[in-house]
């Protein structure tokens, strides 16, 4: 333990997913039934992988529609690509701010307690967002990506070499989680001996929809507090070391992020740790799932490794690891013929827009040569478009390249277990075996 901050001994501690599953089994009434067929803000729809036909129908029949009286209150569904891009292009009209409800369809309580509110640049509007993002963006420039490439390749290759052949193991915990937490540790220059904590915190803090379950809320609060305490200590230590080029150091020596109060500090670290972790992790797991479901694409990739780079945006489109973002209208507006009122909540369903058949041919198909895969909105659009997108793409490209270079083929050995819900689209477990061909 590199820090004296008090942290849970996460080994043997139940994961957020396990606690959620137990609480729901004990009390299935926690989440009342959907109020209509378009009430799609439901974890089970995604965890049970039933979302595709519902959104296909919504795109055809009512791509913009309003739901009233749901567990997440009243909200507009925006299910196709064009209106999502439109909404995200107007940040002065459609706000991300935590003051109006933030970026998830789950509403924070009005008192915005430290426990629940996410005060961070992802949930801020201009001008507060601008300077804060600029500081963080320095860690993800193209030249930084070049600097990190060898390290990412070496680490990925070493992990692939260590995988047992012909023996069943869980790809999520053994590969996806390890690669993404190690990457975050590099970005922050986080103590390597404690880096599993990043995955543990991210798992708990990311369980936003289970905020209706008191045990999960307590777990999230504990994880957030521990994470903030740990980073505070690391921050103080790093501040004594002068300027370096890790992300924490860049934040310390900036005007915009160098002196944050406790609430925003916690929110900012939460955004960076979960943003950089769950999304990329779930895409790495989705890659294996996609190659299993579409064996012709696996054969194509193995016979032509130069397609690794073009496969990356297609994997991200196909997985869409971040299901939605939310905006709140600050004034009355017309949205493609729909009357939006000031204060209305709009849910931008990236996962559906990425299957928009008016943009993507045969959208449910995983097709590594898809000519316009880059048009996906899995990273969002506009001023909040994912600041870590290049890093995510780098990690995925290197993983695909190393699988091909080392001639490692991953086979699914059982049914994937889903997790996440209507915000994160992910994999809890992915049983696999590895073959070296
Ligand atoms: C496949 C992987 C990833 C996906 C799909 C993804 C997706 C997203 C999305 C949808 C947004 C919000 C965009 C919007 O509101 O318009 C976002 C923002 C953000 N992401 Fe990512 N992300 C990924 C990887 C990463 C990584 C690796 C990092 C950092 C290490 C990261 C850090 C962030 C941050 C800090 C923001 C807030 C940006 C802002 O508000 O200006 N993400 N991401």
């Amino acid at each position: 333990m590199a820090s004296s901050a008090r942290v849970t001994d996460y080994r043997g501690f139940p994961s957020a997913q396990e606690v959620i599953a137990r609480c729901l089994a004990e009390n299935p009434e926690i989440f009342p039934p959907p109020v209509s067929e378009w009430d799609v803000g439901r974890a089970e729809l995604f965890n049970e992988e039933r979302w595709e036909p519902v959104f296909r129908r919504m795109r055809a029949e009512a791509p913009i529609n309003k739901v009233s009286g749901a567990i997440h209150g009243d909200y507009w569904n925006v299910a196709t690509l064009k209106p999502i891009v439109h909404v995200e292009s107007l940040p002065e009209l459609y706000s991300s701010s935590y003051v109006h409800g933030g970026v998830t369809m789950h509403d924070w309580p009005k008192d915005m307690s430290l426990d629940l509110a996410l005060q961070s640049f992802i949930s801020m509007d201009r001008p507060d967002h601008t300077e804060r993002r600029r500081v963080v963006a320095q860690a993800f420039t193209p030249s930084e990506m070049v600097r990190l490439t060898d390290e990412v390749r070496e680490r990925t290759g070493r992990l692939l070499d260590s995988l047992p052949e012909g023996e069943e193991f869980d790809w999520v915990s053994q590969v996806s989680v390890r690669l993404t937490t190690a990457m975050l540790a590099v970005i922050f220059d986080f103590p390597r001996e404690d880096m599993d904590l990043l995955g543990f915190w991210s798992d708990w803090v990311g369980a936003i929809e289970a905020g209706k379950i008191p045990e999960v809320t307590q777990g999230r609060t504990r994880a957030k507090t521990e994470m903030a305490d740990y980073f505070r200590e690391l921050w103080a230590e790093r501040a004594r070391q002068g300027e370096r080029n890790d992300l924490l150091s860049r934040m310390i020596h900036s005007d915009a992020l160098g002196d944050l109060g406790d609430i925003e500090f916690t929110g900012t670290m939460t955004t960076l740790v979960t943003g950089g972790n769950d999304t990329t992790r779930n895409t790495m797991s989705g890659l294996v799932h996609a190659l299993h479901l579409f064996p012709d694409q696996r054969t194509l990739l193995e016979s032509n490794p130069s397609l690794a780079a073009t496969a990356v945006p297609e994997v991200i489109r196909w997985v869409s690891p971040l299901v939605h973002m939310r905006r709140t209208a600050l004034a009355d507006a017309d949205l493609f013929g729909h009357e939006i009122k000031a204060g209305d909540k709009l849910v931008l369903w990236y996962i559906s827009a990425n299957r928009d058949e008016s943009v993507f041919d045969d959208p449910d198909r995983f097709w590594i040569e898809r000519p316009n895969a880059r048009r996906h909105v899995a990273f969002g659009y506009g001023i909040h478009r994912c600041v870590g997108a290049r890093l995510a793409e780098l990690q995925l490209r290197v993983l695909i390249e190393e699988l091909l270079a080392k001639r490692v083929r991953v086979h699914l050995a059982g049914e994937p277990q889903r997790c996440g819900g209507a915000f994160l689209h992910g994999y809890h477990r992915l049983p696999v075996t590895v073959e070296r061909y």
Side-chain angles (χ1 to χ4, degrees), residues 64 78 80-94 327 333-338 340 346 348 377 381-382:
I64 301 175
V78 187
T80 46
L81 194 131
K82 191 172 168 188
I84 288 183
V85 167
H86 175 86
V87 168
E88 294 220 55
S89 303
L90 297 170
E92 269 75 29
L93 176 57
Y94 297 110
R327 297 293 186 261
D334 173 89
L335 182 64
F336 296 91
H338 299 271
I340 308 290
L346 288 87
L348 313 177
V377 282
Y381 189 88

Coordinates of all heavy atoms in Angstrom, one line a residue, residues 64 78 80-94 327 333-338 340 346 348 377 381-382:
I64 N -38.0 10.2 -32.1 CA -38.0 11.2 -31.0 C -39.4 11.0 -30.3 O -40.4 11.2 -30.9 CB -37.8 12.6 -31.5 CG1 -36.5 12.7 -32.3 CG2 -37.8 13.6 -30.3 CD1 -36.3 14.1 -32.9
V78 N -34.2 10.1 -27.7 CA -33.7 10.5 -29.0 C -32.8 9.4 -29.5 O -31.8 9.0 -29.0 CB -32.8 11.8 -28.9 CG1 -32.4 12.3 -30.3 CG2 -33.5 12.9 -28.1
T80 N -32.0 8.4 -33.0 CA -31.3 8.3 -34.2 C -30.1 9.3 -34.3 O -30.1 10.2 -33.4 CB -32.3 8.6 -35.4 OG1 -33.0 9.7 -35.1 CG2 -33.1 7.4 -35.7
L81 N -29.3 9.1 -35.2 CA -28.0 9.8 -35.2 C -28.1 11.3 -35.4 O -27.5 12.1 -34.7 CB -27.0 9.2 -36.2 CG -25.6 9.6 -36.1 CD1 -24.7 8.4 -36.1 CD2 -25.1 10.5 -37.2
K82 N -28.9 11.7 -36.4 CA -29.0 13.1 -36.8 C -29.5 14.0 -35.6 O -28.8 15.0 -35.3 CB -29.9 13.3 -38.0 CG -29.8 14.6 -38.7 CD -30.6 14.6 -40.0 CE -30.8 16.0 -40.5 NZ -31.7 16.1 -41.6
P83 N -30.6 13.7 -35.0 CA -31.0 14.6 -33.9 C -30.0 14.6 -32.7 O -29.9 15.6 -32.0 CB -32.4 14.1 -33.5 CG -32.5 12.8 -34.1 CD -31.6 12.7 -35.3
I84 N -29.3 13.5 -32.5 CA -28.3 13.4 -31.4 C -27.2 14.4 -31.7 O -26.8 15.2 -30.9 CB -27.8 12.0 -31.2 CG1 -28.9 11.1 -30.6 CG2 -26.5 12.0 -30.3 CD1 -28.5 9.7 -30.2
V85 N -26.7 14.4 -32.9 CA -25.7 15.3 -33.3 C -26.2 16.8 -33.2 O -25.5 17.7 -32.7 CB -25.2 15.0 -34.8 CG1 -24.3 16.1 -35.3 CG2 -24.4 13.7 -34.8
H86 N -27.4 17.0 -33.6 CA -28.0 18.3 -33.5 C -28.0 18.8 -32.1 O -27.6 19.9 -31.8 CB -29.5 18.2 -34.1 CG -30.3 19.5 -34.0 ND1 -30.2 20.5 -34.9 CD2 -31.1 19.9 -33.0 CE1 -31.0 21.5 -34.5 NE2 -31.6 21.1 -33.3
V87 N -28.5 17.9 -31.2 CA -28.6 18.3 -29.8 C -27.2 18.6 -29.2 O -27.0 19.7 -28.5 CB -29.3 17.2 -28.9 CG1 -29.2 17.5 -27.4 CG2 -30.8 17.1 -29.3
E88 N -26.3 17.8 -29.5 CA -24.9 18.0 -28.9 C -24.2 19.2 -29.6 O -23.2 19.6 -29.1 CB -24.1 16.7 -29.1 CG -24.7 15.6 -28.3 CD -23.6 14.7 -27.6 OE1 -22.7 15.2 -26.9 OE2 -23.6 13.5 -27.9
S89 N -24.7 19.6 -30.7 CA -24.1 20.8 -31.4 C -24.6 22.1 -30.8 O -24.1 23.1 -31.1 CB -24.4 20.8 -32.9 OG -24.0 19.6 -33.5
L90 N -25.6 22.0 -29.9 CA -26.1 23.2 -29.3 C -26.0 23.2 -27.8 O -27.0 23.1 -27.0 CB -27.6 23.3 -29.7 CG -27.9 23.5 -31.2 CD1 -29.4 23.3 -31.4 CD2 -27.4 24.8 -31.7
P91 N -24.8 23.2 -27.3 CA -24.6 23.1 -25.8 C -25.2 24.2 -25.0 O -25.4 24.1 -23.8 CB -23.1 23.0 -25.6 CG -22.5 23.6 -26.9 CD -23.5 23.4 -28.0
E92 N -25.4 25.4 -25.7 CA -26.0 26.5 -24.9 C -27.5 26.3 -24.7 O -28.0 26.8 -23.7 CB -25.8 27.9 -25.7 CG -24.5 28.6 -25.3 CD -23.3 28.0 -25.9 OE1 -23.4 27.4 -27.0 OE2 -22.2 28.1 -25.3
L93 N -28.1 25.5 -25.6 CA -29.5 25.2 -25.4 C -29.7 23.9 -24.7 O -30.6 23.8 -23.8 CB -30.1 25.1 -26.8 CG -31.6 24.7 -26.9 CD1 -32.5 25.7 -26.2 CD2 -32.0 24.7 -28.4
Y94 N -28.9 22.9 -25.0 CA -29.1 21.6 -24.3 C -27.9 21.4 -23.4 O -26.8 21.1 -23.8 CB -29.2 20.5 -25.4 CG -30.4 20.7 -26.3 CD1 -30.2 21.0 -27.6 CD2 -31.6 20.5 -25.8 CE1 -31.3 21.2 -28.5 CE2 -32.8 20.6 -26.6 CZ -32.6 21.0 -27.9 OH -33.7 21.1 -28.8
R327 N -29.1 15.3 -21.7 CA -29.0 16.8 -21.7 C -30.3 17.3 -21.2 O -31.3 16.7 -21.2 CB -28.8 17.3 -23.2 CG -27.5 16.9 -23.8 CD -26.3 17.5 -23.2 NE -25.0 17.2 -23.9 CZ -24.2 16.2 -23.5 NH1 -24.4 15.4 -22.5 NH2 -23.0 16.1 -24.2
A333 N -37.9 24.7 -27.4 CA -37.2 24.6 -28.7 C -38.0 23.6 -29.5 O -38.8 22.8 -29.0 CB -35.8 24.0 -28.5
D334 N -37.7 23.7 -30.8 CA -38.3 22.7 -31.7 C -37.2 21.7 -32.1 O -36.2 22.1 -32.6 CB -38.8 23.4 -33.0 CG -39.3 22.4 -34.0 OD1 -40.5 22.0 -34.0 OD2 -38.4 22.0 -34.9
L335 N -37.5 20.4 -31.9 CA -36.5 19.4 -32.2 C -37.1 18.5 -33.3 O -37.9 17.6 -33.0 CB -36.1 18.6 -31.0 CG -35.0 17.5 -31.2 CD1 -33.7 18.1 -31.6 CD2 -34.9 16.7 -30.0
F336 N -36.8 18.8 -34.6 CA -37.4 18.1 -35.7 C -38.9 17.9 -35.5 O -39.4 16.7 -35.6 CB -36.6 16.8 -35.9 CG -35.1 17.0 -36.2 CD1 -34.2 17.1 -35.2 CD2 -34.7 17.2 -37.5 CE1 -32.8 17.3 -35.5 CE2 -33.4 17.4 -37.8 CZ -32.5 17.4 -36.8
G337 N -39.6 19.0 -35.2 CA -41.1 18.9 -35.2 C -41.6 18.5 -33.8 O -42.8 18.5 -33.6
H338 N -40.7 18.3 -32.8 CA -41.2 18.0 -31.5 C -41.0 19.2 -30.6 O -39.9 19.8 -30.6 CB -40.5 16.8 -30.9 CG -40.7 15.6 -31.7 ND1 -41.8 14.7 -31.5 CD2 -40.1 15.1 -32.8 CE1 -41.7 13.8 -32.4 NE2 -40.7 14.0 -33.2
I340 N -40.1 20.9 -27.5 CA -39.3 20.6 -26.3 C -39.5 21.9 -25.4 O -39.5 23.0 -25.8 CB -37.8 20.5 -26.6 CG1 -37.5 19.5 -27.7 CG2 -37.0 20.3 -25.3 CD1 -37.7 18.0 -27.3
L346 N -33.5 15.2 -22.1 CA -33.4 14.5 -23.3 C -32.3 13.4 -23.1 O -31.2 13.6 -22.7 CB -32.9 15.4 -24.5 CG -33.9 16.4 -25.0 CD1 -33.9 17.7 -24.1 CD2 -33.6 16.8 -26.4
L348 N -30.0 10.8 -25.0 CA -29.4 10.6 -26.3 C -28.9 9.1 -26.3 O -27.9 8.8 -25.7 CB -28.2 11.6 -26.5 CG -28.5 13.0 -26.2 CD1 -27.3 13.9 -26.4 CD2 -29.7 13.6 -27.0
V377 N -21.3 7.5 -32.9 CA -21.3 8.6 -31.9 C -21.1 8.0 -30.5 O -21.5 8.5 -29.5 CB -22.7 9.4 -31.9 CG1 -22.7 10.4 -33.0 CG2 -23.9 8.4 -31.9
Y381 N -20.4 13.7 -29.2 CA -20.2 14.7 -30.3 C -20.1 16.1 -29.7 O -20.7 16.4 -28.7 CB -21.4 14.6 -31.3 CG -21.2 15.4 -32.5 CD1 -20.6 14.7 -33.6 CD2 -21.6 16.7 -32.6 CE1 -20.5 15.4 -34.8 CE2 -21.5 17.4 -33.8 CZ -20.9 16.8 -34.9 OH -20.7 17.5 -36.1
G382 N -19.3 16.9 -30.3 CA -19.3 18.3 -29.9 C -18.3 18.6 -28.8 O -17.3 17.9 -28.7

